Amino acid sequence: MECCKSYNLVNLCRAATTPRSNQGVFFIFKQQQIMEKKQTFNEIIQSETPVLVDFFAEWCGPCKMMSPILKDFASQMGDRVRVIKIDVDKNPAASQTYRIQGVPTLILFQKGKIVWRQSGVVQKKQLEQIVNQLATQAQ
């Protein structure tokens, strides 16, 4: 798939009601972690593992700046967090459901609940602090 060429982006196999299609939905992770079981978006965000969702657009300059940050973040965090990118132009239902008004918008889910949300470019250090703080609160 053309938009999956760069750095270990793997097409999410199947998406449920939000987003409605699998176009423009990607996981960022190490290649050896490719999912064996197909999961819906809702199943993924319901997991115990925090899920960081990047709502982005191909035409968005700040979104392009977030890509390498998210790649490094996902690589460093390993299994502690999942990172998913959702193209708002290809998934308008997801954008409406989560009231995305600007891109990039990052939303961190844990057990299906939104635990953090921010629009704009976010540095890797801040993302690490948020996930670490979430892990500390869970203990």
Side-chain angles (χ1 to χ4, degrees), residues 10 22 41 43 45 52 63 81-82 91 116 134:
V10 180
N22 65 352
F41 179 77
E43 289 170 340
I45 65 171
L52 180 66
C63 298
V81 67
R82 280 181 154 174
N91 294 287
W116 176 82
L134 181 63

Side-chain angles (χ1 to χ4, degrees), residues 3 29 33 37 60 65 67 70 83 105 135 139:
C3 49
F29 50 58
Q33 295 175 317
K37 177 188 171 203
C60 167
M65 292 171 55
S67 287
L70 291 172
V83 179
T105 294
Q139 293 176 352

